[in-house]
């Protein structure tokens, strides 16, 4: 069942499709198959699962199934739609053949070996070629619509954190506090945590990916929160530490080091700087304080429709910062058996420097609750 | 950094590894690379991200990074561990070369074209071959540990639903109710919704994948809930409709049809039956009532560490039911602009028939709240 629609896409979507087609033309690519779901939302406003988008010079095809018929009607009534009854690969093949495509560019980073083989078989004689990373590159630098959505995802996460922090009582478990935090986000419009929330008490904070458990907070606890909201499909990502009543001396010491490292790294962010050099600003500060080995992960990562997306703000990357990128800046120090501190903000690279998009205070005094 | 541990895995994990190695031997496969994350938990109890598992005749390697060092210590201290500093593919290649593997089996359904190319390059002269679906097949039929975990994920989802249902008031939005439902699950130990929860009022219930929004419930509302919990990495998946005060006549009619279709399909479940035949039991009942075109999706799917896993309980599959499979049974009727009804339980295939693992009542009288 193929339906041709007539309404027009929004200005934001029209502009993105236009830029995508311009890049396709530069690369002599006349058909571009998108199998990475966030790209469907980015390029067509379409939120469905188990679907594919095919961008040609004349149309944007949504290859989906009956479950998403109503979503398509609401989200992209201007698209050309085909609803499969069988396998997705078969339907993609049918469309390629119908359009007599000689070649179609595929996302080799978001297509499994098996899916690729199935589409290749179904699409014959259309050839599958590796597409250049067109949408990936577009998504690197955020437009105004991206930034509005990100700001809202950050706002919801921050308001929810403030509400949760006020509710912390000795005797609560990490799990209970995490549940409250996610509830406060959801109430404010988050469609789900941006990633599994971390609420880690005491020594659990030494695990960079701790899972909230039955460990109880008590007076004198340091609790690490790493959380984010999803609003309009965009994700925020923040980390703060909260102290219940008093600050453990060992944690106070590393808190100061981490905070200074984070502030220094943020100050260094401007277009043209290399990722590894920004990472090094924080890393050297932490190393000089004697905690070099206790900071095992990269400084940060891109943020948008995915909670981890390019660029990697890491010692491994010599890519340069560009205006419009949004990155997390999140140094940490972890003392196994004792605890850990990580402080994370979401930062937009501007024309001459940067703008911190998150607003929660991070001085140690503000981190004490009760 | 390679660490060899000495402690032994639990009996459940040891048994799974033993069965995996037996299947590997049958297939003359001496090294098996697992890149599908739930398989890491299934076969090694390991919960980390961005990692790989390599099963050989002598060892189980966890190829991970520093963020998961503590998790590995807790979850699989018996494994051989290497923590990468660079890319995952490079570290996998290093291990393959170190072990002088001639060939390694890979999961072509969980490896992108790009990852495959990077591992192939890094692992040379080790060849990558398509592994038979060994773990996929093992996961099809649940063992006692799987079933204990699933029972707990179902229990948490059900208790949370009961608590949420009691709290429904006219004037609340879908979003508020979904937030409450997820909070009630999290409080009871769910580490996150098994999938984005659906709370869909009135006509929104006609969207099989509705997203909870600002639509308000009122007296006379029919609200469709499709939700699940994640407990110990296992997921539940349930659907019920709640009526606020009164039952809309059009919805009552389709409710009866859907419920009868669901009960009939469950009664037909036993080992040896084909998936398409069970699907047909529900589909024919709905078609005979005149709603054939309003039931557009398959009858159900496997459930376990993934919320959608094989087998597909669908008209497309002639695979046979086997003892130990757990499937959802979830027929639905959707009337665009009016509303929809879907009723879903989680069902274990037993030696002679089946056992419904979920316990929430589904007679229409029990669905009326207030």
């Amino acid at each position: 069942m193929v339906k041709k629609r007539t309404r027009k896409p929004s200005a934001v979507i029209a502009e993105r499709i236009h830029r995508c087609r311009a890049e396709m033309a530069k690369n002599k690519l006349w058909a571009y198959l998108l199998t990475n779901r966030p790209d469907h939302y980015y390029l067509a406003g379409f939120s469905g699962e188990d679907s594919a988008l095919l961008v040609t010079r004349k149309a944007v095809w949504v290859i989906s199934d009956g479950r998403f018929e109503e979503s398509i009607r609401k989200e992209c009534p201007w698209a050309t739609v085909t609803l499969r009854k069988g396998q997705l690969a078969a339907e993609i093949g049918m469309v390629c053949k119908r359009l007599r495509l000689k070649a179609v560019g595929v996302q080799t980073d978001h297509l499994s070996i098996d899916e690729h083989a199935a589409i290749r078989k179904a699409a014959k004689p259309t050839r599958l070629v590796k597409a250049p990373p067109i949408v990936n590159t577009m998504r690197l630098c955020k437009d105004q619509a991206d930034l509005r959505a990100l700001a809202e995802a950050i706002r919801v996460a921050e308001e929810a954190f403030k509400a949760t922090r006020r509710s912390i009582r000795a005797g609560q478990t990490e799990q209970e506090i995490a549940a409250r935090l996610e509830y406060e986000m959801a109430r404010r419009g988050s469609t789900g945590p941006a990633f599994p929330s971390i609420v880690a008490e005491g020594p659990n904070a030494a695990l960079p990916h701790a899972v909230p458990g039955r460990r109880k907070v008590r007076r004198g606890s340091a609790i690490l929160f790493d959380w984010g909201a999803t609003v309009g499909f965009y994700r925020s990502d923040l980390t703060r530490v909260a102290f219940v009543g008093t600050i453990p001396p060992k944690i106070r010491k590393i808190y100061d080091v981490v905070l200074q490292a984070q502030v220094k790294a943020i100050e260094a962010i401007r277009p043209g700087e290399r990722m590894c050099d920004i990472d090094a600003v924080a890393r050297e500060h932490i190393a000089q304080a004697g905690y070099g080995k206790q900071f095992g992960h990269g400084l940060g990562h891109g943020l948008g429709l995915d909670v981890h997306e390019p660029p990697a703000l890491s010692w491994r990357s010599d890519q340069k910062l560009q205006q419009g990128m949004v990155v997390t800046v999140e140094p940490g120090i972890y003392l196994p058996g004792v605890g850990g501190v990580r402080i994370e903000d979401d930062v937009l690279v501007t024309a001459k420097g940067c703008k911190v998009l998150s607003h929660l205070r991070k001085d140690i005094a503000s981190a004490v609750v009760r």
Side-chain angles (χ1 to χ4, degrees), chain A residues 123-148:
Chain A
K124 264 181 191 169
T126 305
R127 280 182 312 116
L128 307 193
V129 300
K130 182 183 169 95
I134 295 173
V135 178
N136 314 44
T137 305
M138 288 172 65
R139 283 176 53 190
L140 268 181
C141 296
K142 272 57 186 174
D143 60 26
Q144 289 309 311
D146 291 317
L147 291 174
R148 271 195 303 274

Short mmCIF file of all heavy atoms in Angstrom, two decimals, chain A residues 123-148:
data_model
loop_
_atom_site.label_atom_id
_atom_site.label_comp_id
_atom_site.label_asym_id
_atom_site.label_seq_id
_atom_site.Cartn_x
_atom_site.Cartn_y
_atom_site.Cartn_z
N ALA A 123 16.62 -6.05 -3.02
CA ALA A 123 16.65 -4.83 -3.84
C ALA A 123 17.25 -5.07 -5.22
O ALA A 123 17.20 -4.18 -6.07
CB ALA A 123 17.45 -3.74 -3.11
N LYS A 124 17.81 -6.24 -5.44
CA LYS A 124 18.47 -6.50 -6.73
C LYS A 124 17.59 -6.11 -7.90
O LYS A 124 16.40 -6.40 -7.86
CB LYS A 124 18.83 -8.00 -6.85
CG LYS A 124 20.26 -8.28 -6.46
CD LYS A 124 20.58 -9.77 -6.62
CE LYS A 124 21.94 -10.04 -5.96
NZ LYS A 124 22.22 -11.45 -5.82
N PRO A 125 18.07 -5.46 -8.95
CA PRO A 125 19.48 -5.16 -9.25
C PRO A 125 20.04 -3.88 -8.61
O PRO A 125 21.15 -3.49 -8.93
CB PRO A 125 19.47 -5.03 -10.76
CG PRO A 125 18.12 -4.45 -11.05
CD PRO A 125 17.19 -5.03 -10.01
N THR A 126 19.27 -3.20 -7.76
CA THR A 126 19.82 -2.01 -7.09
C THR A 126 21.03 -2.42 -6.25
O THR A 126 20.96 -3.40 -5.50
CB THR A 126 18.76 -1.38 -6.16
OG1 THR A 126 17.58 -1.10 -6.92
CG2 THR A 126 19.29 -0.10 -5.54
N ARG A 127 22.13 -1.67 -6.39
CA ARG A 127 23.31 -1.97 -5.59
C ARG A 127 23.27 -1.19 -4.28
O ARG A 127 22.78 -0.06 -4.26
CB ARG A 127 24.59 -1.55 -6.35
CG ARG A 127 25.05 -2.55 -7.41
CD ARG A 127 26.34 -2.07 -8.05
NE ARG A 127 26.26 -0.66 -8.45
CZ ARG A 127 27.02 0.32 -7.94
NH1 ARG A 127 27.93 0.05 -7.00
NH2 ARG A 127 26.90 1.56 -8.37
N LEU A 128 23.80 -1.76 -3.21
CA LEU A 128 23.93 -1.02 -1.96
C LEU A 128 25.36 -0.49 -1.87
O LEU A 128 26.31 -1.25 -2.02
CB LEU A 128 23.65 -1.91 -0.74
CG LEU A 128 22.35 -2.70 -0.71
CD1 LEU A 128 22.11 -3.25 0.69
CD2 LEU A 128 21.17 -1.85 -1.15
N VAL A 129 25.49 0.80 -1.61
CA VAL A 129 26.83 1.38 -1.45
C VAL A 129 26.90 2.05 -0.08
O VAL A 129 25.88 2.40 0.51
CB VAL A 129 27.14 2.41 -2.56
CG1 VAL A 129 27.09 1.76 -3.95
CG2 VAL A 129 26.17 3.60 -2.50
N LYS A 130 28.12 2.18 0.41
CA LYS A 130 28.30 2.83 1.71
C LYS A 130 28.07 4.34 1.52
O LYS A 130 28.76 4.99 0.74
CB LYS A 130 29.74 2.58 2.18
CG LYS A 130 30.07 3.16 3.55
CD LYS A 130 31.56 2.90 3.87
CE LYS A 130 32.00 3.69 5.08
NZ LYS A 130 31.93 2.91 6.33
N ALA A 131 27.09 4.88 2.23
CA ALA A 131 26.81 6.32 2.10
C ALA A 131 27.83 7.10 2.92
O ALA A 131 28.26 6.64 3.97
CB ALA A 131 25.41 6.62 2.60
N PRO A 132 28.20 8.29 2.46
CA PRO A 132 29.00 9.15 3.33
C PRO A 132 28.14 9.53 4.54
O PRO A 132 26.90 9.46 4.46
CB PRO A 132 29.30 10.36 2.45
CG PRO A 132 28.29 10.34 1.36
CD PRO A 132 27.86 8.92 1.18
N PRO A 133 28.76 9.93 5.65
CA PRO A 133 27.98 10.18 6.89
C PRO A 133 27.25 11.52 6.82
O PRO A 133 27.53 12.43 7.61
CB PRO A 133 29.04 10.15 7.98
CG PRO A 133 30.30 10.57 7.30
CD PRO A 133 30.21 10.11 5.88
N ILE A 134 26.29 11.64 5.93
CA ILE A 134 25.65 12.94 5.68
C ILE A 134 24.84 13.42 6.88
O ILE A 134 25.07 14.52 7.39
CB ILE A 134 24.75 12.86 4.42
CG1 ILE A 134 25.63 12.61 3.19
CG2 ILE A 134 23.93 14.14 4.26
CD1 ILE A 134 24.85 12.35 1.91
N VAL A 135 23.91 12.61 7.34
CA VAL A 135 23.07 13.07 8.45
C VAL A 135 23.89 13.15 9.74
O VAL A 135 23.71 14.07 10.54
CB VAL A 135 21.82 12.17 8.63
CG1 VAL A 135 20.99 12.64 9.81
CG2 VAL A 135 20.97 12.21 7.37
N ASN A 136 24.81 12.21 9.93
CA ASN A 136 25.69 12.27 11.10
C ASN A 136 26.39 13.63 11.16
O ASN A 136 26.47 14.26 12.23
CB ASN A 136 26.80 11.20 11.03
CG ASN A 136 26.28 9.84 10.65
OD1 ASN A 136 25.47 9.73 9.72
ND2 ASN A 136 26.73 8.82 11.36
N THR A 137 26.89 14.07 10.02
CA THR A 137 27.61 15.34 9.97
C THR A 137 26.66 16.51 10.20
O THR A 137 26.99 17.45 10.93
CB THR A 137 28.32 15.48 8.60
OG1 THR A 137 29.15 14.33 8.42
CG2 THR A 137 29.15 16.74 8.53
N MET A 138 25.45 16.42 9.64
CA MET A 138 24.47 17.49 9.88
C MET A 138 24.14 17.59 11.36
O MET A 138 24.02 18.69 11.90
CB MET A 138 23.19 17.22 9.08
CG MET A 138 23.33 17.42 7.58
SD MET A 138 21.85 16.84 6.68
CE MET A 138 20.59 17.98 7.29
N ARG A 139 24.00 16.44 12.00
CA ARG A 139 23.59 16.44 13.41
C ARG A 139 24.69 16.92 14.35
O ARG A 139 24.41 17.25 15.51
CB ARG A 139 23.11 15.04 13.82
CG ARG A 139 21.70 14.71 13.33
CD ARG A 139 21.29 13.29 13.65
NE ARG A 139 21.45 12.98 15.07
CZ ARG A 139 21.33 11.75 15.59
NH1 ARG A 139 21.04 10.73 14.79
NH2 ARG A 139 21.50 11.56 16.87
N LEU A 140 25.94 16.95 13.89
CA LEU A 140 27.05 17.42 14.72
C LEU A 140 26.81 18.84 15.23
O LEU A 140 27.12 19.15 16.38
CB LEU A 140 28.34 17.45 13.90
CG LEU A 140 29.26 16.24 13.89
CD1 LEU A 140 30.46 16.55 13.01
CD2 LEU A 140 29.69 15.85 15.29
N CYS A 141 26.36 19.72 14.33
CA CYS A 141 26.14 21.12 14.71
C CYS A 141 24.64 21.37 14.80
O CYS A 141 23.90 21.12 13.86
CB CYS A 141 26.80 22.05 13.70
SG CYS A 141 28.59 21.84 13.71
N LYS A 142 24.22 21.86 15.96
CA LYS A 142 22.80 21.96 16.25
C LYS A 142 22.19 23.21 15.62
O LYS A 142 22.80 24.29 15.66
CB LYS A 142 22.58 21.98 17.77
CG LYS A 142 22.45 20.60 18.41
CD LYS A 142 23.61 19.66 18.18
CE LYS A 142 23.34 18.26 18.72
NZ LYS A 142 24.42 17.34 18.35
N ASP A 143 20.97 23.08 15.08
CA ASP A 143 20.24 24.25 14.59
C ASP A 143 19.33 24.77 15.71
O ASP A 143 19.31 24.23 16.82
CB ASP A 143 19.49 23.92 13.29
CG ASP A 143 18.45 22.81 13.45
OD1 ASP A 143 17.95 22.61 14.57
OD2 ASP A 143 18.14 22.15 12.44
N GLN A 144 18.59 25.83 15.40
CA GLN A 144 17.77 26.45 16.45
C GLN A 144 16.72 25.49 17.00
O GLN A 144 16.42 25.50 18.20
CB GLN A 144 17.10 27.72 15.90
CG GLN A 144 18.07 28.88 15.68
CD GLN A 144 18.93 29.18 16.90
OE1 GLN A 144 18.42 29.29 18.01
NE2 GLN A 144 20.25 29.25 16.72
N ALA A 145 16.18 24.64 16.14
CA ALA A 145 15.16 23.69 16.61
C ALA A 145 15.79 22.67 17.56
O ALA A 145 15.22 22.33 18.60
CB ALA A 145 14.51 22.99 15.41
N ASP A 146 16.99 22.18 17.21
CA ASP A 146 17.71 21.27 18.11
C ASP A 146 17.91 21.93 19.47
O ASP A 146 17.71 21.32 20.52
CB ASP A 146 19.12 20.97 17.56
CG ASP A 146 19.15 20.13 16.30
OD1 ASP A 146 18.40 19.14 16.23
OD2 ASP A 146 19.95 20.45 15.40
N LEU A 147 18.37 23.19 19.42
CA LEU A 147 18.75 23.87 20.67
C LEU A 147 17.53 24.15 21.55
O LEU A 147 17.62 24.05 22.78
CB LEU A 147 19.51 25.16 20.36
CG LEU A 147 20.90 24.92 19.75
CD1 LEU A 147 21.55 26.25 19.34
CD2 LEU A 147 21.82 24.18 20.73
N ARG A 148 16.41 24.47 20.91
CA ARG A 148 15.19 24.67 21.70
C ARG A 148 14.82 23.38 22.42
O ARG A 148 14.47 23.38 23.60
CB ARG A 148 14.03 25.11 20.80
CG ARG A 148 13.93 26.62 20.59
CD ARG A 148 12.57 26.99 19.99
NE ARG A 148 12.31 26.31 18.73
CZ ARG A 148 12.71 26.76 17.53
NH1 ARG A 148 13.40 27.88 17.43
NH2 ARG A 148 12.43 26.08 16.44
#
